[in-house]
Amino acid sequence: MRARIGEATDVGLVRERNEDGYLVRPPLFAVADGMGGHRGGEVASRLALETLERPTEAPLAERIREANRVVYERSIIDRSVAGMGTTLTAAVLEGDRLRLAHVGDSRAYLLREGRLERLTEDHTMVRRMVEEGRLTEQEAAWHPYRSVLTRALGTEPDVPVDEAVVEVRPGDRVLLCTDGLTSMLEEERIAELLRTTPDPQAAADRLVEEALAAGGLDNVTVLVLDLEEDPGGGGRSPGLERGKGGGRRLRLPRTAVRRAAVGLLVALALGGLAAAGLRAYLDRQWYVGISHGNVAVFRGVPTSVAGFALHRLVFETDIPAREALELAYYRDLPTGITARDREAAMAIVDQIREDLAARDRATEGAA
């Protein structure tokens, strides 16, 4: 099974910044809706998605719990984003099964043979009131507290994660969205737009456009996944087909792209065909890792082939790596944290230094 993908996001007509985020890294897909004033919401959704994107064999729910730890830890040590949090709804396509993990009030839907089914439950105050019989579904849809969350990533040290596995088949359409869509459009209208717009990218665009036309009171983000048989019989990665045109904002999985490029170039170099090209490529790559027990900046990629190191040390800091590794967000240091250039790598080093200093201040204040 593979997916043809449509993706769109918009700041809306009221908010000053887009605190939503999304991830398209087939077979993994996710949407997140950050909260927390100033830049907190934007930071929370970004940290959660970056953590979810890290290569790992851990189950999806555990990856989300790790994202919770990362966001919570940053909110504790950085006062400028104190109290931030984010929703997160993620899906992994596993052959003819869709594995879901979910926290908050972003949603996942399944459209099958024209019928729209909600696959997630909102973790909100009004949802709880409906379950307790204090509100009807109709009253909940317009209740003033409908966006008050009872569960979110990053607000507590640990968070329960809802999990589900859904059997899927060719012709199914999956929608992941933030509440900027569902708070503006009724489910009947969402279903109609999904039914009447065959191309997934066109469907994503229409959903966002109608949410804006209905008021656009919040950031709005949608992913539309059209499931179909993989003609390669599983020999190709699922989800690499896209709808016509491009999304309003595409978050490219740079780590996955880089791994693929490195694999190709290494193969060519080992065959004696592209050694110069490989070197030129490596000279454009930067990452932050560990050298002699300290945080360090490297040029290249953090691996070796046939005894040949594809990286070189540029700068070794005085920051003990063991201290940085105590912070959840920097646990990838042993395998390298990618940076787009030298300045970005040094910015990561500066952030590590600031986060460690903030942690020490917080510890002293609690003593």
Side-chain angles (χ1 to χ4, degrees), residues 3-8 29 173-176 194 197-205 207 222-227 241 243:
R4 296 178 61 236
I5 307 163
E7 55 207 295
F29 310 91
R173 171 170 276 187
V174 175
L175 170 67
L176 304 181
L194 290 173
T197 314
D199 180 71
Q201 185 57 55
D205 289 337
L207 287 166
V222 302
L223 297 180
V224 177
L225 313 177
D226 283 359
L227 306 186
E241 296 291 330

Side-chain angles (χ1 to χ4, degrees), residues 139-160:
E139 291 170 336
W142 302 105
H143 196 280
Y145 294 159
R146 63 184 179 276
S147 295
V148 177
L149 297 178
T150 57
R151 193 190 306 178
L153 256 67
T155 59
E156 299 290 342
D158 298 295
V159 65

Side-chain angles (χ1 to χ4, degrees), residues 3-24:
R4 296 178 61 236
I5 307 163
E7 55 207 295
T9 188
D10 197 280
V11 68
L13 304 178
V14 176
R15 302 295 180 93
E16 294 183 355
R17 65 178 70 211
N18 195 342
E19 297 182 330
D20 282 2
Y22 68 87
L23 177 64
V24 174

